[in-house]
Amino acid sequence: MRKQSIGTPTLFSISLLLLIFFSCAPIFAQKKSDPVFSNFVYQGNDAVYNEHPLKADEFYSPILQGCYPDPSIVRKNNDYYLVCSSFAMFPGVPIFKSNDLVNWKQIGHVLDRPSQLKVENSGISAGVYAPAIAYNKQNDMFYMITTQIAGGMGNIVVKTTDPEKGWSEPYKLNFGGIDPSLFFDDNGKAYVVHNDAPDAGKELYNGHRVIKIWEYDVQKDQVIAGSDKIIVNGGVDISKKPIWIEAPHIYKRNGLYYLMCAEGGTGDNHSEVIFVSEDVKGPYIPANNNPILSQRHLPAQRKNKVDWAGHADLVEGPDGKHYGVFLGIRPNEENRVNIGRETFILPVDWSGKFPVFENGLIPLEVKLKTPAGVENRTGKDGFLPNGNFTFNDHFKNAKLDDRWVALRGPREAFARPTKNGLEIKAFGTNIKDAKPVSALLHRQQHNAFSAKVTLKFNPLTSKDFAGITCLQSESFNYIFGITKKENKTYLLLVRTEKGISKVLDSKEITAGSPITLQVAADGDNYQFSYAQNGTSYQTMGGIVSGDILSTNVAGGFTGALIGLYATADNDIQPAEY
């Protein structure tokens, strides 16, 4: 390639460069009112893990704790890659890598650029639904296909030859519905299957859905117009009015095509079902022993309850056995779902015609046996921790840990690690806005946990606020932090329910001095406390309910998030405290 010569800079070009520099540089030029967070510590203390210590050949399920739902998994050689839904979180679609299905590292996110992820005006439970990852050995390419309920995106696909080196810009796909997945046949042909509504006028009952298949043009990255066909109508037995047949995946084994789907909706009636066909386009015949995975028929009061099991994907393990990843929930003592839907795993028996999740129809166990020859190294050597663990972040690294996410926009737009801690530039939006907010968020991963952080902040006006948040959505959350009233600085605890905020407690504090803020939960009981000397904590507001942090009360599809939050649009008026 011929290089262009660079001439002497003109006065105009120098002026332009100076203008760009001085307009961009102040983005993170710290003001006195910018909060700095340091020494974040999250610690889990669930009784179930204390009561079930691991032996050398065991590991815990869920393998991904916290809001990591709708898992999809693929294998290339000895590498496994797993993705999950992320809704309006940014970056989107967390991706994990393993060599053994036990020890996992997060290698980043699939959708990590605004050009790929347009969720800036989305409610927290909109955005990215049910990503599915696939590998096409014909062109040595990985694909991630998903439905993006935001920004006019719809169903999209991105691709890469190396999941650790970033993904393409999205290709918008010409079909409706949700939950698409790709299947690459060994003859080079490709297909998309997905959930959709029945044809116009043919919906028989509320929740009646179908599974469609399309031929897929790998060269154009587009479905082939007119190739669509309904391959499942309603579910396993439409006479029983099954609801929400969805999350389809096709597998080929011994010359037969297997279609596995979730059925019953992602709640108390969730399950996984399987069909078989001699042709990829059907007809698909359901197995006579469906469902092959469910917890819906079990006693409600069982110990160490796991529920809502379904939305699964299958892969061959390192020991030659098959395994299935799927979502499930671990409710608290009030049967509320604060942690959200997590990623579990079970071995799968495929010795017969149909695959069956081993012990998938009885109460799920806390521990599983590792595949033969696999050592449990979770929490070591860079692998994600599991069970009860502590996560410390001193914000000393230039790059934020992948476990931190923002809402509706890039983290880097407001959060910057510095030598003193994490500096957050407050946006003119607050936590109740369905817009990008300046909050760096970590998933709640246990029913019993504590999270604390030290904050240095000197608010200048009543519009300035900084502290921590426990967030289920923009309409249901707690905020606990510092603001200004006239010439005094206050610490506030605020509960927001259905978008209406109420101050639960307030206390005048010394302006500008470091303060440690802590939230601790034991099931449904949450406590917010502070320490100005780093050791002696005082509780604000007493014990408060975590009800608004549950999907039972708040609705939606996410789990609770714990955030480091700042705003220049505090809307709690001085008269309210």
Side-chain angles (χ1 to χ4, degrees):
M1 179 182 294
R2 184 172 61 90
K3 293 183 179 180
Q4 295 180 344
S5 61
I6 302 175
T8 303
T10 65
L11 180 61
F12 173 79
S13 63
I14 294 173
S15 300
L16 181 61
L17 288 171
L18 289 172
L19 176 64
I20 292 171
F21 175 79
F22 285 113
S23 63
C24 294
I27 290 176
F28 279 113
Q30 187 179 359
K31 298 186 301 183
K32 289 183 179 180
S33 60
D34 288 340
V36 176
F37 296 84
S38 58
N39 301 322
F40 176 83
V41 181
Y42 174 93
Q43 187 168 14
N45 190 31
D46 281 344
V48 65
Y49 297 120
N50 296 328
E51 295 167 359
H52 295 82
L54 291 174
K55 297 178 181 177
D57 61 345
E58 295 176 332
F59 70 108
Y60 289 125
S61 182
I63 52 174
L64 297 177
Q65 296 165 247
C67 179
Y68 294 106
D70 308 328
S72 176
I73 193 169
V74 72
R75 178 180 182 176
K76 178 189 176 183
N77 300 325
N78 293 324
D79 295 326
Y80 297 89
Y81 298 93
L82 187 152
V83 294
C84 301
S85 289
S86 55
F87 308 101
M89 300 176 202
F90 202 114
V93 188
I95 181 167
F96 306 87
K97 183 179 181 181
S98 176
N99 297 119
D100 52 31
L101 301 179
V102 172
N103 304 293
W104 292 90
K105 293 181 180 181
Q106 186 169 357
I107 59 173
H109 292 79
V110 176
L111 305 178
D112 58 7
R113 306 186 296 278
S115 57
Q116 298 170 308
L117 186 58
K118 299 186 179 298
V119 292
E120 55 268 24
N121 297 309
S122 299
I124 195 171
S125 285
V128 175
Y129 286 20
I133 189 169
Y135 173 69
N136 183 3
K137 64 182 180 182
Q138 304 285 344
N139 61 1
D140 191 29
M141 188 77 68
F142 290 88
Y143 294 77
M144 191 285 296
I145 187 170
T146 190
T147 310
Q148 191 173 152
I149 312 290
M153 297 295 281
N155 289 299
I156 62 168
V157 66
V158 294
K159 59 185 183 179
T160 183
T161 55
D162 186 346
E164 298 190 61
K165 293 184 178 179
W167 295 71
S168 72
E169 291 300 300
Y171 298 85
K172 294 178 68 173
L173 302 172
N174 297 331
F175 62 89
I178 61 171
D179 290 11
S181 69
L182 279 160
F183 169 68
F184 298 102
D185 208 341
D186 46 26
N187 61 5
K189 291 186 176 181
Y191 303 87
V192 172
V193 285
H194 66 97
N195 159 292
D196 208 344
D199 293 338
K202 294 187 178 181
E203 184 173 346
L204 302 179
Y205 52 88
N206 187 31
H208 177 200
R209 292 295 184 271
V210 303
I211 300 298
K212 283 185 179 178
I213 190 168
W214 298 74
E215 295 177 24
Y216 184 79
D217 187 328
V218 175
Q219 301 302 317
K220 297 179 179 179
D221 285 302
Q222 187 57 264
V223 293
I224 297 175
S227 66
D228 57 309
K229 179 184 178 183
I230 293 175
I231 54 175
V232 173
N233 184 17
V236 169
D237 184 352
I238 197 169
S239 69
K240 295 181 180 179
K241 298 184 177 180
I243 62 170
W244 288 103
I245 191 76
E246 58 188 356
H249 294 283
I250 290 179
Y251 312 94
K252 191 173 186 181
R253 179 178 167 89
N254 298 330
L256 297 176
Y257 296 89
Y258 291 85
L259 173 69
M260 191 173 74
C261 304
E263 188 182 271
T266 187
D268 292 342
N269 203 43
H270 209 197
S271 70
E272 199 71 14
V273 296
I274 192 83
F275 305 78
V276 69
S277 175
E278 294 181 357
D279 188 280
V280 69
K281 288 193 172 184
Y284 280 90
I285 309 301
N288 58 10
N289 61 331
N290 278 316
I292 59 172
L293 168 69
S294 186
Q295 300 284 284
R296 64 189 179 197
H297 54 284
L298 299 172
Q301 302 305 317
R302 61 192 182 273
K303 187 174 175 59
N304 299 326
K305 181 179 179 179
V306 175
D307 212 350
W308 299 11
H311 201 118
D313 199 3
L314 302 179
V315 72
E316 185 177 338
D319 54 359
K321 283 181 63 70
H322 278 80
Y323 290 80
V325 292
F326 58 96
L327 72 80
I329 55 106
R330 293 180 296 141
N332 64 23
E333 79 285 357
E334 297 292 337
N335 204 38
R336 293 192 182 121
V337 185
N338 289 45
I339 305 175
R341 299 171 301 156
E342 307 175 280
T343 290
F344 291 74
I345 193 169
L346 277 179
V348 171
D349 183 351
W350 208 338
S351 58
K353 183 175 182 180
F354 291 101
V356 177
F357 286 76
E358 294 183 11
N359 298 323
L361 298 174
I362 63 174
L364 293 179
E365 296 289 340
V366 179
K367 304 187 295 183
L368 298 172
K369 293 290 186 182
T370 59
V374 173
E375 177 187 356
N376 185 344
R377 292 186 287 156
T378 55
K380 306 173 185 176
D381 306 320
F383 292 108
L384 290 172
N386 199 234
N388 284 332
F389 57 82
T390 299
F391 169 57
N392 293 279
D393 199 334
H394 302 291
F395 304 109
K396 298 297 185 183
N397 296 326
K399 182 180 181 297
L400 290 168
D401 191 285
D402 283 322
R403 283 168 279 192
W404 291 108
V405 295
L407 286 179
R408 309 178 190 92
R411 303 169 299 178
E412 294 76 15
F414 63 86
R416 181 182 68 155
T418 72
K419 64 180 181 180
N420 297 318
L422 182 80
E423 179 185 320
I424 290 186
K425 176 68 64 175
F427 285 168
T429 54
N430 66 51
I431 206 72
K432 292 185 284 189
D433 291 324
K435 299 175 183 177
V437 293
S438 42
L440 194 66
L441 301 155
H442 180 280
R443 291 162 173 85
Q444 180 180 329
Q445 297 178 287
H446 302 80
N447 281 309
F449 76 92
S450 65
K452 63 182 180 180
V453 70
T454 298
L455 169 63
K456 189 171 184 181
F457 178 51
N458 185 22
L460 301 181
T461 74
S462 63
K463 301 296 286 184
D464 297 328
F465 180 97
I468 60 176
T469 180
C470 287
L471 174 81
Q472 173 58 235
S473 74
E474 54 274 4
S475 298
F476 294 84
N477 54 72
Y478 287 99
I479 59 172
F480 180 47
I482 300 170
T483 190
K484 191 91 168 179
K485 179 186 178 183
E486 298 171 351
N487 294 320
K488 297 179 180 180
T489 303
Y490 285 85
L491 180 63
L492 299 181
L493 175 62
V494 182
R495 173 185 167 104
T496 296
E497 182 175 0
K498 298 181 180 178
I500 300 172
S501 298
K502 178 182 179 182
V503 177
L504 300 184
D505 202 355
S506 64
K507 181 178 178 63
E508 185 180 350
I509 61 171
T510 304
S513 298
I515 186 170
T516 301
L517 304 177
Q518 177 175 274
V519 56
D522 185 5
D524 189 61
N525 296 323
Y526 284 64
Q527 279 188 295
F528 294 85
S529 57
Y530 71 98
Q532 291 188 291
N533 58 9
T535 55
S536 300
Y537 285 88
Q538 299 181 57
T539 299
M540 295 272 289
I543 294 175
V544 299
S545 176
D547 55 354
I548 61 170
L549 303 178
S550 70
T551 54
N552 312 64
V553 173
F557 299 112
T558 63
L561 303 168
I562 304 157
L564 314 180
Y565 165 57
T567 179
D569 186 35
N570 175 38
D571 64 345
I572 307 300
Q573 299 303 310
E576 294 179 304
Y577 56 88

